[in-house]
Amino acid sequence: DDSLAQVLEALAADVARSAGRLVVDERPDAVEVASTKSSATDVVTVMDQRSQDHLLARLRESRPDDAVLGEESGGATGTSGITWVIDPIDGTVNYLYGIPAYAVSVAAVVGDPTTHGAWRPFAGAVYNPVTDELYRARAGAGSRVVRPGGEERSLTPTGCSDVGQALVATGFGYAAERRERQAHLLLDLLPQVRDIRRIGSAALDLCAVGAGLVDAYYETGLNPWDLAAGWLVAAEAGAVVGGLDGPGQDLTSACAPGLAPAFPDLVEEGTRRHLRG
Ligand code: IPD
C-alpha cells in the first residue's frame, strides 16, 4: 500500500544520502582497491565495503525483518517479503579516478531479486553525492529529483521520437567476451543516432532518461543492484523501460516514450543478434 511505500521511499532516500556523504566526505586521495571480481578491472574499493556496511547497519536497524541483497556480498534474509537491493557505489571506476559520476542506489523490491523476471522495485533512491542530487520514486507516485538546497522537481523524459536525433547512453560489463559483443552492438547503433554517452553508472544513466538528460539508455548483463532503483525512477518519470523478456533483471533499454517501440526494437534486435548468438 502507498503508506508503506512512502515510508520505504523515505528510508531509501535517507540511507542513500548518508552512505553517499560517507563515500564523498571520506574519499581518500588514493582510493584503495580491496579486491577484484569478474575481471582484473572489476574492482571493489575499501569505500564500497564501508558504504555497504553502513547501508546494511542502517537498514537492519530500521527494518530487521527485511532481506538485503548488496553488490559487495549478500546480506540478511528476511521474513517480511521485502528485499532491499543496494549498490554501495554504482560507478566504482569513476569513483576510483575521481570522475564525479557515481551514486549510491537503494531500492525496496517485492519478489526474489535473484530470479530473473520474478521481482519488481516499488520504492527507491539514487544519490549522487558529488552533485548532491537525490532521485527518488515509488510505484504509482511519479519520481522526483531533490537538488542542493532542497528544491524538488518532478522528472519528465524528453519527447524525442526520432532515433536519428536521439542521444543514447550505454554501458559495458567488465568481462572481455561480453564487451566484444557489446562493441558489435554499438557498431550497429552509433551510425544511426545523434551520439552515444558512456556515463559510467547504470543507476545515473536510468535517472538521466527519467530527467530528460539523455533520450535513451541500453545495456545488457546488468545486475539487480545496478538497476533496481534507477529503473523505478525512469519508469515512474514516464520512460519506457524493458528487458528482452519483460521486466526483470535483464534490463535492455529505457527510453523517452516517443522512441518506443522503434528504439527497443532496434536494441533488442541487435542484442539478440550480437549478445545471444
Ligand atoms: C557498473 C556501472 C557501469 C555499468 C556496469 C556496472 P559498478 O557498476 O553501473 O556503468 O556499465 O555494467 O557493472 O561496478 O560501478 O557498481
Side-chain angles (χ1 to χ4, degrees):
D1 71 73
D2 194 52
S3 57
L4 175 63
Q6 273 182 43
V7 169
L8 299 185
E9 183 194 339
L11 180 60
D14 190 33
V15 300
R17 203 184 265 284
S18 66
R21 295 306 344 146
L22 173 83
V23 300
V24 86
D25 292 346
E26 299 192 24
R27 183 180 181 277
D29 289 339
V31 178
E32 205 184 313
V33 173
S35 57
T36 58
K37 295 189 288 187
S38 61
S39 76
T41 52
D42 185 3
V43 298
V44 181
T45 74
V46 170
M47 293 305 286
D48 288 84
Q49 290 169 336
R50 283 188 59 194
S51 175
Q52 172 137 325
D53 291 346
H54 176 87
L55 291 167
L56 282 175
R58 290 282 322 268
L59 292 169
R60 277 184 190 145
E61 181 187 55
S62 306
R63 304 273 314 170
D65 297 333
D66 296 351
V68 184
L69 176 70
E71 175 168 23
E72 314 313 343
S73 88
T77 49
T79 52
S80 66
I82 292 166
T83 301
W84 291 92
V85 179
I86 60 175
D87 193 338
I89 303 178
D90 184 57
T92 301
V93 174
N94 283 345
Y95 184 71
L96 192 65
Y97 282 76
I99 297 171
Y102 49 86
V104 179
S105 174
V106 177
V109 316
V110 286
D112 177 1
T114 62
T115 304
H116 176 77
W119 60 280
R120 64 184 167 80
F122 71 96
V126 174
Y127 180 59
N128 178 336
V130 187
T131 60
D132 189 21
E133 286 173 309
L134 176 84
Y135 294 91
R136 53 187 294 176
R138 65 180 188 278
S143 45
R144 284 140 293 151
V145 59
V146 186
R147 297 239 161 80
E151 181 216 0
E152 196 166 314
R153 280 205 191 164
S154 60
L155 300 182
T156 316
T158 67
C160 180
S161 56
D162 177 356
V163 171
Q165 295 295 315
L167 183 61
V168 177
T170 189
F172 312 111
Y174 293 102
E177 205 257 338
R178 181 183 294 281
R179 283 188 169 181
E180 204 173 308
R181 288 159 175 253
Q182 286 172 321
H184 286 296
L185 175 52
L186 186 62
L187 200 60
D188 272 4
L189 213 57
L190 184 54
Q192 302 188 54
V193 298
R194 181 192 293 270
D195 208 345
I196 293 283
R197 292 289 178 271
R198 198 288 192 249
I199 293 170
S201 156
L204 291 177
D205 288 315
L206 286 160
C207 293
V209 176
L213 300 174
V214 294
D215 297 300
Y217 162 69
Y218 74 94
E219 184 164 350
T220 51
L222 290 173
N223 291 298
W225 46 81
D226 299 314
L227 64 90
W231 164 13
L232 189 64
V233 169
E236 283 296 324
V240 178
V241 180
L244 279 179
D245 306 312
Q249 72 193 65
D250 186 12
L251 180 84
T252 308
S253 60
C255 64
L259 278 178
F263 182 75
D265 281 354
L266 197 69
V267 169
E268 287 176 15
E269 190 203 309
T271 302
R272 283 202 177 87
R273 200 166 53 240
H274 296 301
L275 299 170
R276 292 230 159 147

